[in-house]
Amino acid sequence: MEILRVVVVLLSLWCCDNAYLRSSARSLLKFLGFIFWGTAAAQAFGGVLVILMLKNYRHLFQESYLSLPGWLALATALILLPTGVLAVSISVKCSRNQQGTLMFLLLLLLCLEMSSAALARSYYVRTASQLESVMGYLVHQHKWTCSQDSGNSAVDVIQRKLQCCGVHNYTDWLKTSSSWHDLACVPESCCKEKHSHCRGDLSHVEQLSEEGCLKKLEGQLCFAMLYVFWFCTVLIILELLAGVSNGILMRHQPFHELHILDSYTFEEEYRY
């Protein structure tokens, strides 16, 4: 009798633990469902940020595949919306079809985000190491004179957008070939916006942008690519938690849809 009593107590504790586990899994899945809705917008922002940055500075980033992490982030954002809907729905009422669909979407999201994170990290390291040489080449090849500034070249567009001058600072222009211009000025695109009458005259250095373009470009590249990388990393962790929670609910959810395959039920149906 004592052994039977101990078994009954253990079974009751096991049932209570299972009930608590299922309740916790439902609550966590519901919470993650709402989180997925919010993170979809943030993920889309990261994707658009990468795509627009590479488009705006296409003279520096000419390889079209560099925008792939951005497009993968956008695809992830679109899939996060139905994933969040399913997670909230399953937390209210379990359905085998919905649970299976959620598992498939979570697996798809994991593949997309791991790819996006790996590519963003790889491309950041690769392009950051090439920025200085590419920017230096554009500065060296830029043909202009103090009396007639081209104004529409790739380096001028970059300097105006970023409010920068040269690779490291304005002195980089003094190292270029002196046969293309005299050394009394720098391109007008180096001028600060508030100085409308600035013509790049070196006698008024205070009117020129102090920072070089390399530092600002690296800052934008770092923010865009590492934003996608770290955001995807956080999402991977959240999706693993959602997968575990869904798995716990699936474990305790019987296959009602497959009861038709029970031997007795199948024989009765076949007989008629």
Side-chain angles (χ1 to χ4, degrees):
M1 292 295 295
E2 290 296 330
I3 296 176
L4 182 60
R5 188 175 301 171
V6 171
V7 171
V8 171
V9 171
L10 290 175
L11 287 175
S12 63
L13 289 174
W14 183 79
C15 291
C16 290
D17 288 341
N18 280 346
Y20 176 76
L21 189 62
R22 290 195 299 272
S23 176
S24 300
R26 287 178 184 272
S27 300
L28 180 59
L29 199 59
K30 184 176 182 179
F31 172 74
L32 291 174
F34 290 116
I35 291 295
F36 288 156
W37 289 344
T39 54
Q43 184 76 331
F45 168 77
V48 171
L49 186 66
V50 171
I51 294 169
L52 289 181
M53 187 198 67
L54 295 174
K55 182 180 179 181
N56 290 335
Y57 306 117
R58 56 186 177 275
H59 303 289
L60 297 173
F61 311 106
Q62 296 182 355
E63 297 88 349
S64 59
Y65 61 82
L66 291 177
S67 61
L68 185 57
W71 290 111
L72 289 177
L74 286 180
T76 300
L78 292 176
I79 299 175
L80 278 171
L81 294 175
T83 302
V85 173
L86 280 174
V88 174
S89 177
I90 291 171
S91 66
V92 176
K93 183 179 180 181
C94 290
S95 167
R96 275 291 176 178
N97 292 331
Q98 291 182 342
Q99 288 173 330
T101 304
L102 178 61
M103 279 298 192
F104 172 76
L105 291 179
L106 289 174
L107 181 61
L108 181 59
L109 284 171
L110 284 173
C111 293
L112 287 174
E113 283 158 8
M114 290 177 68
S115 300
S116 183
L119 290 175
R121 182 66 180 178
S122 174
Y123 291 169
Y124 166 68
V125 173
R126 178 179 176 180
T127 53
S129 63
Q130 297 175 350
L131 268 180
E132 185 172 6
S133 60
V134 174
M135 191 66 195
Y137 175 78
L138 290 178
V139 169
H140 182 74
Q141 295 295 319
H142 183 41
K143 297 183 180 181
W144 57 278
T145 62
C146 289
S147 59
Q148 185 178 6
D149 190 29
S150 60
N152 295 320
S153 68
V155 68
D156 285 316
V157 172
I158 293 171
Q159 288 186 151
R160 286 197 179 94
K161 282 184 178 180
L162 297 179
Q163 284 295 286
C164 58
C165 187
V167 181
H168 301 285
N169 52 52
Y170 74 93
T171 60
D172 291 316
W173 289 107
L174 307 181
K175 303 172 186 177
T176 58
S177 176
S178 59
S179 61
W180 292 348
H181 59 83
D182 55 5
L183 300 179
C185 66
V186 295
E188 291 182 16
S189 57
C190 285
C191 296
K192 296 178 180 177
E193 288 184 345
K194 62 182 180 180
H195 297 291
S196 58
H197 300 292
C198 173
R199 294 296 178 265
D201 192 347
L202 290 178
S203 61
H204 300 284
V205 179
E206 71 280 358
Q207 297 180 354
L208 306 178
S209 300
E210 294 87 357
E211 286 189 81
C213 296
L214 179 63
K215 183 178 180 181
K216 290 194 172 183
L217 280 169
E218 286 180 340
Q220 288 196 8
L221 179 67
C222 176
F223 178 77
M225 290 296 190
L226 294 188
Y227 176 94
V228 172
F229 172 79
W230 287 113
F231 201 85
C232 286
T233 303
V234 172
L235 273 176
I236 287 171
I237 297 173
L238 295 178
E239 284 152 12
L240 288 174
L241 290 175
V244 171
S245 301
N246 191 37
I248 291 173
L249 295 178
M250 291 180 72
R251 177 188 174 192
H252 297 285
Q253 178 75 9
F255 285 94
H256 295 295
E257 294 85 350
L258 300 182
H259 282 183
I260 192 174
L261 298 180
D262 291 345
S263 58
Y264 176 77
T265 305
F266 184 76
E267 288 176 0
E268 291 294 322
E269 293 289 338
Y270 183 75
R271 182 180 302 170
Y272 292 103

